[in-house]
C-alpha cells in the first residue's frame, strides 16, 4: 500500500506519495511548472543546478525540489501539512539569482549555436533572466574537448549539470565522461580526452540543456524551425525504436528519438541517430541492365520487360529473398507475385536461420523489452545484445543496476556493460547447463521470472534447430515457460524479420531456404533470383544466376545484379514494420525517393502487369487491407502481443549440438547494412573503434 502524506502546494492541500520528490509532487498534483537543468527523470539525482528551488514556508532558505522527498518534510508546529510555494516572490527571486550565476560565464552564442531554438537555457532565461549583469569580471573560457566524430563540444557554454556524465555511466555503462577539478576550474571531459566509444553516446546531445554538446555531423546545417519533422520507425535493428526524421528540401538532416517507454524509452543508438548521411550516398536512382558485363542505364519499361521475361520461366528455377530493411508491404507484394507464378523458393531469413513456420510465440521476444525489468535471471545464448540491439542491452543494464538480477552468458565473452557469469561458449554447453552446479545455473533454476535470450544468428541451419530444441526443453524444465510467464526470447537483428515470418514469407512445400537457394544457384538449379534489398548474404554464389536486385543502395546485391530496380529507403516511404516483440508500427514518409526510384510495392505492382499476374491492389491502402485481411496480426498497431504460452519441448528439431564456439554475428557495429556502409560518419566511427582496439591489443602484447 502506498504511503501517502498531506502536503499544501500553493494554497491547496493534496495527498501525495511519500517517496515522491517535491518536484514530482508540485508538478503532478499542484500543476506547477518547475524549471530544471540537472534533473532528468531517467538519471540519478545530482542537485547541481539549483534552478528548481521552491519555498518551504518556515524554512530558512529555498529548497532544491529535485533532491528533497515528500517523506522528508515535517508538518508545521500546529500539525498542519507543510506549505510549499512554487510561485512566490521568494521563489522568483531565488531562481533569478541562480540564473544570474549560470550566465556569468556563458557566452552570447545564441545566433551561431546549434542548440538555438530548442535550448533549455534559452527558454529558462526568458522567464528568469535579467536584462543586465552585475558581474564585471572577465568570463571564464574552457578548451573544447575531443569526444570523437559524433559529439561536438563548446565547453565554455557548459553549466556542469553532469547529465552527460550520469548518462554515460548509468545508462550507457561506460565511464568515459567525468567532471574534473573544483569550483571555477571544474570541467567536463572525456578520459584522457579520447573519443567516446559507446554505441549510445549520441544521446548526450539531447540531454545537454545548453549548447555545450551538439551533433558534429549536423553542425551548422539548419535551424530547427526550418526543418520538416516526421515521426517514423528505425530499421537499423529489430527493436523498432521510435524516431523523428528532420529534413529540409528533400534531404534528411538529422534523426532524433521519440519517447516510447515500452520500446526505446527516449534513447536511440548512434547508428540510428547518425546514419542519415548514408541516405544520400551511393544511391540507386535509375534502373540498370547489365550488358557484356557492364551495367547501363535503362528506362523503367525496358527494365521491367527484361525482368518479366526471366520470371516467365520454370517456377522451380526461380527464387526470391527479402532483405533486412524491407517493410511489410513490399514483402507482401513480392510474396503475392511469386506465389501467383508458382514459385516455392521464398525466404525472408537472410541470415540462414530456420526459425518460423510454427506458432508466433516461438519466434518472438516474448518477455517484451519493457518486461525485462521484471526478470531476476537472464541467460544469454549466442548473442551480443550490446551490438545486436543496444536498447535491449540498456534495458538489461537498467534492471541489473536496480539490483536482484543475475546474468549468465553462453557465447563469446565481451563487455556488455554489466557483470555476468560466463557459463559456456558453445551450443554443447547448453545441454549441460541444466545439470551445472555453477552459481548462476543454481540461481536460474530457482528464479521467479527466469528469461532466456537467444540470438537469431545462433539458430542458423540444422545445428540451430538442434540448439532451439535444447533451449525449448531447458525453458520447460526451468519455469521459463509456464502458465503465467513466457520468458523465451529470440533476439532478432533484422527490422524485417518478424514481419516476414508473420506473413509466411518462407519456402513453400518443397521450396528452398536461403542457404539452399544460394547453393542451388551456384550449381545451376536456380537460374533467376529476385533480391528484395538482400545484401547480407554470400553473393559470390549468384554469379551464374540471373539476379534481379530491387533496392536503394549500390551495395553487395547490386554488384552482382543483372537488372537493378531502384527502390525507396525507409525514410522515403510509408511502411509497416514489426519489431522483435511482434509490435506492429508504422513509419511515415519524410522525403521523396531519389531520382527515378519508386516505392517498392509500386515497382512490384507494375511488374505484375508485365507478367499478366496483376496484383489485386492499386494503392498502398488497398495493399494494407489485403495484408491485414490475410494476416490479422498486422491489424494491432503499437501494441505488443499478449504473452502466448507454447510447448517448449516442441521447438526446433532433435540433432547434434555443435561444440564450435559461438561467434558474434556483428564484427563491426557501424557497418551492418547498405545505408550504414554508405555513411561517412559510420566509417569514421568504425575507424575510431578499430584504432582503439589496435592500441589495446598492442598494449596487451
Amino acid at each position: 500500500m502506498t504511503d501517502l502524506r498531506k502536503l499544501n502546494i500553493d494554497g491547496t492541500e493534496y495527498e501525495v506519495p511519500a517517496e515522491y520528490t517535491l518536484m514530482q509532487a508540485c508538478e503532478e498534483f499542484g500543476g506547477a511548472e518547475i524549471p530544471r537543468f540537472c534533473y532528468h527523470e531517467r538519471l540519478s539525482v545530482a542537485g547541481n543546478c539549483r534552478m528548481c528551488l521552491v519555498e518551504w514556508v518556515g524554512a530558512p532558505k529555498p529548497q532544491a525540489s529535485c533532491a528533497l522527498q515528500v517523506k522528508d518534510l515535517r508538518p508545521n508546529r500546529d500539525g498542519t501539512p507543510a506549505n510549499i510555494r512554487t510561485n512566490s516572490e521568494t521563489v522568483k527571486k531565488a531562481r533569478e539569482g541562480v540564473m544570474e550565476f549560470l550566465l556569468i560565464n556563458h557566452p552570447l552564442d545564441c545566433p551561431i549555436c546549434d542548440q538555438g531554438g530548442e535550448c533549455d537555457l534559452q527558454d529558462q532565461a526568458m522567464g528568469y533572466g535579467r536584462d543586465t549583469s552585475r558581474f564585471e569580471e572577465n568570463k571564464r573560457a574552457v578548451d573544447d574537448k575531443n569526444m570523437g566524430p559524433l559529439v561536438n563540444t563548446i565547453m565554455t557554454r557548459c553549466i556542469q549539470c553532469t547529465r552527460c556524465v550520469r548518462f554515460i555511466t548509468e545508462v550507457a555503462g561506460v565511464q568515459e565522461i567525468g567532471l574534473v577539478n573544483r569550483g571555477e576550474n571544474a570541467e567536463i571531459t572525456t578520459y584522457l580526452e579520447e573519443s567516446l566509444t559507446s554505441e549510445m553516446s549520441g544521446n548526450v546531445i539531447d540531454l545537454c540543456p545548453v549548447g555545450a554538446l551538439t551533433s558534429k555531423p549536423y553542425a551548422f546545417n539548419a535551424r530547427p524551425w526550418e526543418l520538416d519533422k516526421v515521426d517514423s520507425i528505425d530499421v537499423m535493428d529489430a527493436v523498432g525504436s521510435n524516431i523523428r526524421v528532420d529534413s529540409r528540401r528533400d534531404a534528411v538532416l538529422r534523426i532524433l528519438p521519440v519517447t516510447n517507454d515500452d520500446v526505446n524509452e527516449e534513447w536511440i543508438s548512434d547508428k540510428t541517430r547518425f546514419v542519415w548521411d548514408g541516405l544520400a550516398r551511393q544511391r540507386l536512382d535509375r534502373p540498370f541492365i547489365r550488358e557484356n558485363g557492364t551495367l547501363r542505364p535503362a528506362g523503367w519499361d525496358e527494365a521491367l520487360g527484361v525482368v518479366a521475361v526471366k520470371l516467365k520461366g520454370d517456377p522451380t528455377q526461380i527464387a526470391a529473398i527479402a532483405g533486412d530493411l524491407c517493410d511489410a508491404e513490399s514483402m507482401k507484394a513480392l510474396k503475392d507475385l511469386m506465389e501467383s507464378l508458382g514459385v516455392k523458393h521464398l525466404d525472408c531469413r537472410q541470415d540462414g536461420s530456420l526459425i518460423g513456420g510454427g506458432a508466433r510465440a516461438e519466434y518472438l521476444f516474448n518477455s517484451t523489452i519493457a518486461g525485462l525489468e521484471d526478470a531476476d535471471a537472464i541467460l544469454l545464448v549466442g548473442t551480443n545484445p550490446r551490438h545486436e540491439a543496444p536498447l535491449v542491452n540498456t534495458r538489461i543494464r537498467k534492471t541489473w543496476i536496480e539490483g536482484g538480477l543475475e546474468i549468465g552468458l553462453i557465447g563469446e565473452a565481451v563487455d556488455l556493460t554489466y557483470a555476468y557469469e560466463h557459463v559456456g561458449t558453445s551450443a554443447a554447453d547448453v545441454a549441460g547447463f541444466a545439470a551445472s552446479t555453477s552459481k548462476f545455473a543454481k540461481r536460474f533454476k530457482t528464479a521467479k521470472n527466469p528469461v532466456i535470450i537467444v540470438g537469431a544468428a545462433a539458430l542458423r541451419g540444422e545445428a540451430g534447430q538442434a540448439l532451439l530444441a535444447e533451449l525449448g526443453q531447458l525453458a520447460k524444465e526451468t519455469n521459463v515457460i509456464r502458465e503465467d510467464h513466457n520468458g523465451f526470447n529470440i533476439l532478432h537483428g533484422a527490422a524485417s524479420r518478424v514481419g516476414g515470418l508473420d506473413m509466411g514469407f518462407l519456402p513453400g512445400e518443397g521450396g528452398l531456404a536461403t542457404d539452399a537457394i544460394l547453393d542451388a544457384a551456384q550449381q545451376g538449379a536456380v537460374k533467376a533470383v529476385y533480391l528484395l534489398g538482400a545484401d547480407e548474404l554470400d553473393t559470390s554464389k549468384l554469379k551464374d544466376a540471373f539476379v534481379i536486385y530491387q533496392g536503394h543502395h549500390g551495395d553487395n546485391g547490386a554488384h552482382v545484379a543483372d537488372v537493378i530496380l531502384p527502390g525507396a529507403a525507409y525514410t522515403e516511404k510509408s511502411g509497416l514494420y514489426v519489431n522483435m516483440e511482434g509490435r506492429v508500427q508504422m513509419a511515415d514518409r519524410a522525403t521523396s525517393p531519389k531520382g527515378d526510384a519508386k516505392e517498392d510495392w509500386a515497382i512490384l505492382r507494375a511488374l505484375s502487369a508485365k507478367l499478366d499476374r496483376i496484383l489485386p491492389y492499386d494503392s498502398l491502402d488497398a495493399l494494407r487491407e489485403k495484408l491485414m485481411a490475410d494476416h490479422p496480426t498486422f491489424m494491432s498497431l503499437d501494441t505488443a502481443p499478449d504473452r502466448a504460452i507454447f510447448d517448449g519441448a516442441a521447438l526446433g528439431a532433435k540433432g547434434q549440438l555443435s561444440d564450435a564456439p559461438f561467434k558474434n554475428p556483428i564484427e563491426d557495429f557501424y557497418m551492418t547494412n547498405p545505408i550504414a556502409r554508405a555513411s561517412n560518419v559510420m566509417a569514421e566511427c568504425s575507424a575510431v573503434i578499430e584504432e582503439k582496439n589496435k592500441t589495446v591489443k598492442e598494449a596487451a602484447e
Side-chain angles (χ1 to χ4, degrees):
M1 186 175 179
T2 304
D3 181 15
L4 299 177
R5 304 286 177 90
K6 289 185 177 181
L7 191 64
N8 187 307
I9 302 174
D10 293 332
T12 304
E13 193 172 296
Y14 302 94
E15 281 196 335
V16 179
E19 68 274 10
Y20 270 35
T21 64
L22 263 183
M23 178 185 288
Q24 290 173 311
C26 292
E27 290 193 332
E28 186 169 326
F29 291 88
E33 184 176 335
I34 310 292
R36 81 290 300 270
F37 291 118
C38 68
Y39 177 80
H40 191 277
E41 292 82 356
R42 302 187 197 276
L43 303 176
S44 60
V45 175
N48 293 344
C49 73
R50 321 307 286 182
M51 195 66 204
C52 63
L53 293 175
V54 297
E55 181 185 3
W56 179 6
V57 178
K61 61 182 180 180
Q63 305 293 311
S65 61
C66 71
L68 187 63
Q69 289 185 295
V70 171
K71 62 185 177 184
D72 296 326
L73 301 176
R74 58 171 175 75
N76 297 320
R77 291 182 178 179
D78 60 0
T80 57
N83 292 314
I84 302 298
R85 299 290 178 264
T86 67
N87 52 11
S88 65
E89 194 59 37
T90 299
V91 171
K92 188 173 185 297
K93 186 177 180 180
R95 291 176 183 170
E96 287 176 350
V98 170
M99 177 62 70
E100 191 173 1
F101 273 113
L102 289 176
L103 293 177
I104 290 175
N105 290 313
H106 198 83
L108 298 176
D109 279 352
C110 296
I112 60 156
C113 178
D114 274 331
Q115 199 88 330
E118 46 191 14
C119 173
D120 292 349
L121 183 64
Q122 207 174 45
D123 294 342
Q124 300 298 346
M126 292 295 291
Y128 302 100
R130 294 167 55 95
D131 57 356
T132 59
S133 174
R134 291 176 287 179
F135 292 90
E136 298 178 352
E137 293 79 7
N138 292 331
K139 286 180 178 287
R140 180 186 78 148
V142 182
D143 290 338
D144 295 339
K145 307 299 188 291
N146 170 39
M147 290 193 180
L150 303 180
V151 181
N152 190 43
T153 62
I154 304 93
M155 301 312 294
T156 301
R157 301 172 186 166
C158 179
I159 61 171
Q160 287 86 45
C161 71
T162 69
R163 278 188 181 184
C164 54
V165 177
R166 285 174 284 149
F167 171 82
I168 284 291
T169 305
E170 298 166 10
V171 180
V174 291
Q175 296 183 357
E176 294 183 335
I177 302 180
L179 181 71
V180 296
N181 303 326
R182 294 173 63 86
E184 188 183 13
N185 296 319
E187 295 182 21
I188 298 289
T189 184
T190 56
Y191 180 68
L192 297 179
E193 288 202 32
E194 288 191 352
S195 171
L196 299 176
T197 59
S198 169
E199 302 78 20
M200 303 288 291
S201 64
N203 291 287
V204 300
I205 296 167
D206 296 333
L207 287 171
C208 184
V210 296
L213 305 178
T214 57
S215 171
K216 189 172 284 187
Y218 171 71
F220 308 122
N221 269 336
R223 287 299 200 178
W225 55 84
E226 299 174 332
L227 301 173
D228 296 319
K229 304 170 179 65
V230 174
D231 287 351
S232 191
I233 303 299
D234 173 54
V235 299
M236 295 297 113
D237 53 36
V239 172
S241 299
N242 289 212
I243 58 174
R244 192 186 84 195
V245 181
D246 288 359
S247 62
R248 184 182 64 181
R249 292 196 289 271
D250 239 17
V252 175
L253 294 183
R254 66 176 180 178
I255 295 174
L256 300 175
V258 171
T259 301
N260 186 326
D261 289 336
D262 293 329
V263 182
N264 57 303
E265 297 185 290
E266 61 186 80
W267 321 122
I268 53 175
S269 74
D270 288 350
K271 186 162 53 179
T272 299
R273 183 186 297 270
F274 295 107
V275 79
W276 52 265
D277 72 309
L279 292 166
R281 293 172 49 80
Q282 299 180 17
R283 290 302 302 269
L284 301 174
D285 58 359
R286 67 182 70 180
F288 288 89
I289 297 174
R290 190 178 297 277
E291 284 185 356
N292 301 320
T294 304
L295 289 169
R296 66 165 177 83
W300 271 107
D301 192 63
E302 182 186 7
L304 292 176
V306 172
V307 173
V309 170
K310 292 296 181 180
L311 295 183
K312 285 180 178 177
D314 184 352
T316 63
Q317 298 179 346
I318 300 172
I321 302 174
D324 292 348
L325 309 183
C326 297
D327 57 289
E329 292 90 340
S330 63
M331 288 190 290
K332 174 62 173 171
L334 181 58
K335 178 175 182 284
D336 287 350
L337 179 58
M338 289 297 159
E339 288 181 346
S340 72
L341 295 170
V343 176
K344 303 290 186 183
H345 310 320
L346 302 175
D347 207 350
C348 66
R349 301 163 301 188
Q350 195 178 206
D351 59 359
S353 64
L354 299 177
I355 53 179
R360 194 172 188 231
E362 293 180 6
Y363 56 81
L364 292 183
F365 199 90
N366 293 291
S367 295
T368 70
I369 297 170
L372 290 174
E373 296 183 27
D374 299 324
D376 51 358
I378 296 178
L379 175 63
L380 301 171
V381 181
T383 183
N384 176 3
R386 182 173 174 182
H387 284 172
E388 294 176 57
L391 275 304
V392 171
N393 200 61
T394 58
R395 192 77 73 148
I396 295 174
R397 176 176 168 79
K398 178 181 178 181
T399 309
W400 174 75
I401 283 180
E402 291 172 356
L405 174 64
E406 294 191 30
I407 303 158
L409 171 67
I410 298 178
E412 189 177 337
V414 290
D415 178 11
L416 294 176
T417 72
Y418 41 79
Y420 61 85
E421 185 176 338
H422 197 200
V423 293
T425 59
S426 68
D429 293 318
V430 176
F433 180 77
S436 173
T437 58
S438 69
K439 179 183 175 183
F440 174 74
K442 292 178 180 178
R443 171 71 174 119
F444 192 80
K445 294 168 196 172
T446 59
K448 182 180 178 182
N449 292 314
V451 166
I452 292 175
I453 300 177
V454 56
L459 303 177
R460 181 168 185 166
E462 294 181 2
Q465 288 290 289
L467 172 61
L468 195 59
E470 190 67 36
L471 288 170
Q473 189 62 41
L474 175 65
K476 191 172 183 179
E477 293 172 358
T478 54
N479 270 342
V480 171
I481 302 175
R482 58 177 190 265
E483 287 187 7
D484 62 335
H485 174 69
N486 184 354
F488 186 83
N489 304 297
I490 293 181
L491 183 71
H492 294 280
S496 65
R497 190 62 41 79
V498 174
L501 296 175
D502 281 349
M503 71 176 66
F505 198 105
L506 298 168
E509 187 176 347
L512 303 177
T514 297
D515 287 345
I517 289 172
L518 296 177
D519 291 339
Q522 189 175 33
Q523 296 161 10
V526 169
K527 299 188 181 301
V529 180
Y530 201 113
L531 301 180
L532 182 62
D535 294 279
E536 318 306 321
L537 38 74
D538 186 0
T539 54
S540 65
K541 294 184 176 182
L542 298 174
K543 290 181 179 177
D544 295 328
F546 187 88
V547 178
I548 303 117
Y549 179 77
Q550 180 178 329
H552 39 77
H553 276 76
D555 205 72
N556 298 331
H559 293 165
V560 296
D562 294 286
V563 175
I564 293 176
L565 304 176
Y570 72 106
T571 57
E572 299 162 5
K573 58 186 174 183
S574 177
L576 295 173
Y577 296 92
V578 188
N579 78 346
M580 61 175 68
E581 308 167 295
R583 184 188 303 271
V584 182
Q585 301 183 108
M586 184 179 294
D588 284 333
R589 173 174 171 166
T591 60
S592 302
K594 304 301 180 187
D596 293 333
K598 300 182 183 300
E599 293 188 25
D600 293 293
W601 76 269
I603 296 172
L604 291 159
R605 173 61 177 78
L607 178 58
S608 72
K610 287 281 186 182
L611 288 163
D612 297 324
R613 298 285 197 279
I614 298 177
L615 294 174
Y617 28 78
D618 293 323
S619 67
L620 186 59
D621 288 340
L623 170 52
R624 283 178 178 157
E625 286 181 14
K626 180 79 163 55
L627 173 66
M628 294 175 183
D630 293 348
H631 312 286
T633 55
F634 286 91
M635 297 177 68
S636 301
L637 284 177
D638 300 321
T639 57
D642 294 332
R643 298 181 187 181
I645 307 303
F646 61 92
D647 183 6
L651 279 175
K654 295 295 182 183
Q656 186 67 34
L657 288 172
S658 171
D659 58 0
F662 287 121
K663 184 173 175 57
N664 290 329
I666 297 179
E667 295 181 359
D668 189 338
F669 171 74
Y670 300 100
M671 295 284 158
T672 56
N673 61 65
I675 304 174
R677 286 190 286 270
S679 166
N680 281 335
V681 177
M682 294 296 99
E684 288 183 56
C685 293
S686 179
V688 167
I689 298 298
E690 184 179 356
E691 182 62 29
K692 182 163 186 174
N693 291 340
K694 180 181 177 183
T695 303
V696 171
K697 185 178 179 181
E698 289 175 351
E701 292 173 350

